[in-house]
Amino acid sequence: LIDKEEDKEEDLVKRPPVVTVMGHVDHGKTSLLDAIRKTNVTSSEAGGITQHIGASEVMVNGEKVVFLDTPGHEAFTSMRARGAQVTDMAILVVAADDGIMPQTIEAINHAKAANVPLIVAINKIDKPGANQDRVKQELADQGLLVEDWGGDVICVPVSALKREGIDTLLEMVLLVAEMEELKANPNKRAVGTVIEAQLDKGRGPVATVLVQGGTLRVGDPIVAGVASGKVRAMINSKGKRVKVAEPSTAVEILGLSEVPQGGDQVVAVPSDKAARLVAEKRQQMAREEMLKSNQRMSLDDF
Ligand code: GDP
């Protein structure tokens, strides 16, 4: 039922990179994402309300780049705990006036463990206390040698506040994407991962799904974790309704029976019946897991 077949090389086509922003609290992750989003907002969109769906798309030199809004740490920990890998690369934000902090090191370790390439953005270079060399030294101490010190770690000085260096940073994202040769097969039933999900009063269960392979279409029967259903509507990162979502597209989907969890795998299946069967099977497996862990717990109690 679920397509586990390896894609053939000739079926693969280039797909946009999916990027997360990580870093210590207050080093400027949110500000940087904001600055990135504003790089190519057209004047007609500028005043409009853009719906938050947990991911944003920006165009860089005519190429699409997808940014996940969920803090990178969460994307890595909760998703990876469930075996999901959603990002192709991480931007590590380090404040130039503060340097490497505990969550910076944590972020480096997440990226290493996931084998995801890292681009360092030294942020807040506008601040009087900014010291880029100190940051580079501290990075070196963590085993990350930046390019201008003879290493291979790409490092871009930026100011999210003053929107400086953002274009260069985005060009580096494209460069890394190019090197990674990111590809997917759009011509099969969709597979993807739940980025976030919640129960919406009016619309029922709503899940933001990153399509990673194949093409998701309105009307497709799907399974998301233990939830099943049929895609009733899809909304893209610009808040527009769309009928299809190709690889590396994040869409909000409506039509699930219940709220799935972030990191849950999403698959389009051949029929409604298949969707129900797969979901039931997964529910049964989840119950058995729960039972087992309950037994373990009660044994440990004595
Ligand atoms: P986050 O916790 O990593 O998401 O950090 P925020 O984006 O919320 O930024 C934390 C604080 O640093 C805020 O007060 C921002 O205005 C400020 N900040 C972020 N980027 C810059 C920058 O480039 N320059 C300066 N001077 N302040 C910045």
Side-chain angles (χ1 to χ4, degrees), residues 109-127:
N109 291 336
H110 282 315
K112 272 188 193 156
N115 204 16
V116 162
L118 241 171
I119 296 176
V120 177
I122 302 187
N123 189 31
K124 307 198 188 186
I125 54 164
D126 59 287
K127 287 186 93 169

Side-chain angles (χ1 to χ4, degrees), residues 191-206:
V191 293
T193 301
V194 174
I195 303 298
E196 56 179 44
Q198 67 275 328
L199 189 63
D200 185 283
K201 247 192 205 159
R203 302 184 296 166
V206 179

Side-chain angles (χ1 to χ4, degrees), residues 22 70-81 106 110 195-196:
M22 301 202 286
T70 31
H73 297 264
E74 213 174 296
F76 273 94
T77 45
S78 75
M79 305 235 173
R80 269 181 53 77
E106 203 182 286
H110 282 315
I195 303 298
E196 56 179 44

